[in-house]
Amino acid sequence: MSGNAKRIRWRCRRGLRELDVLLETYFARTGPALTDQELYLFEKFLDVNDMDLYAWLTRRKAPTDDKFVQLVETILSTKEN
């Protein structure tokens, strides 16, 4: 695993079990196949505060930024597979 991938994987650990599971599972399953643009978007996603991420990933709220809407759906579908 590259240094960049290790850093991103570490950033998936948020301290909230639900977020940790969703983000780590998504990155473990898709990380190696992500394009540079998708990795950049995922890193920007990880910059969002935990409470917003939690609200989005539990469907309590939808992201206001359109670029994150599809990513949330992808992360949630990865969990289900």
Side-chain angles (χ1 to χ4, degrees):
M1 181 178 296
S2 75
N4 191 39
K6 286 180 184 179
R7 182 180 51 75
I8 294 170
R9 193 172 109 210
W10 178 252
R11 290 190 64 205
C12 289
R13 302 193 69 194
R14 308 300 285 217
L16 291 169
R17 182 170 167 75
E18 296 87 352
L19 284 180
D20 291 354
V21 169
L22 287 169
L23 296 173
E24 289 179 23
T25 299
Y26 167 75
F27 192 68
R29 291 183 180 175
T30 63
L34 294 177
T35 66
D36 289 342
Q37 184 176 358
E38 290 166 330
L39 278 173
Y40 177 79
L41 178 62
F42 186 59
E43 286 193 88
K44 289 296 175 194
F45 186 77
L46 294 175
D47 288 341
V48 173
N49 75 62
D50 290 349
M51 296 318 298
D52 285 338
L53 290 178
Y54 183 78
W56 298 346
L57 293 171
T58 57
R59 298 190 190 273
R60 288 182 170 86
K61 288 170 120 180
T64 55
D65 192 331
D66 290 341
K67 68 183 176 210
F68 292 143
V69 172
Q70 183 58 48
L71 182 55
V72 166
E73 292 306 315
T74 302
I75 291 169
L76 292 173
S77 71
T78 302
K79 172 192 82 158
E80 296 165 0
N81 293 327

